[in-house]
Amino acid sequence: MAKLVVGPVSEIPPGGRKLVEAEGKRIVVFNLSGEFFALSDRCPHQGGSLCAGLVSGHVESKEPGVYHYARRGEMIRCPWHYWEFDIRTGKSWFDPKRVQVRQFPAHVESGAALVEGPYTAETFPVRVEDEYVVVEA
C-alpha cells in the first residue's frame, strides 16, 4: 500500500478531521485526542460523505429512563440517513459484523523520514584532541 502524506499534525487538531484523495479514493482522517484514524469517506449504505457527517458519542441505556453518554467524539454519523460508525474501527453500531466502513492505517511519521532524498553533503571525520576540534580533510 502506498503512503499518502496528509499534512502536518497541526492541520488536524484533536477532534478535527481532514478529507484527502488518493488514487481516486476519498479518505477522511480523524484526530481523536492525538490518535489518528482514517476511513473511507463513503457510507456503505448509499454513499453519503462521512466527512460531512456529525461526530458524536454513544448513548447507552441499561434500563428505561437511565442513559449514559460515552465515547464522546468517537462516532461518525452519515449525514444522509444517520447510520453511525465507530471512527476507531470503521464498524457500524447497529450491525458491526456485517456493515462497516473501510479503514486505512494512519500514523504520524517525522518529516525527515518521509522526504529523505538522494542528495548528501560531503562529510569529513571530526574528533576532539585536548580540547581542540580537528577536522580531517
Side-chain angles (χ1 to χ4, degrees):
M1 186 176 288
K3 285 186 181 182
L4 169 67
V5 177
V6 173
V9 169
S10 61
E11 280 187 8
I12 311 172
R17 64 187 112 170
K18 182 175 181 177
L19 181 64
V20 295
E21 192 165 328
E23 297 179 12
K25 297 178 197 133
R26 290 170 50 97
I27 300 169
V28 58
V29 180
F30 297 91
N31 180 344
L32 301 184
S33 300
E35 289 184 86
F36 291 86
F37 299 90
L39 300 175
S40 170
D41 186 42
R42 189 178 194 286
C43 177
H45 177 228
Q46 289 187 345
S49 169
L50 293 180
C51 187
L54 177 70
V55 172
S56 64
H58 180 68
V59 177
E60 299 172 344
S61 175
K62 293 184 179 181
E63 60 186 89
V66 178
Y67 304 101
H68 175 68
Y69 187 71
R71 303 192 58 205
R72 181 180 304 272
E74 294 184 17
M75 304 296 285
I76 183 73
R77 186 180 302 158
C78 177
W80 290 1
H81 301 106
Y82 305 115
W83 285 30
E84 291 182 314
F85 300 91
D86 185 328
I87 292 172
R88 291 181 180 277
T89 66
K91 294 181 178 181
S92 68
W93 190 250
F94 60 90
D95 190 356
K97 291 183 181 178
R98 295 188 325 168
V99 179
Q100 58 186 358
V101 176
R102 182 171 179 196
Q103 189 179 30
F104 298 89
H107 56 276
V108 175
E109 291 187 23
S110 74
L114 292 174
V115 221
E116 190 172 313
Y119 308 105
T120 56
E122 185 177 6
T123 61
F124 300 93
V126 177
R127 66 181 194 275
V128 176
E129 294 179 0
D130 295 323
E131 301 196 26
Y132 293 96
V133 176
V134 178
V135 174
E136 298 176 11

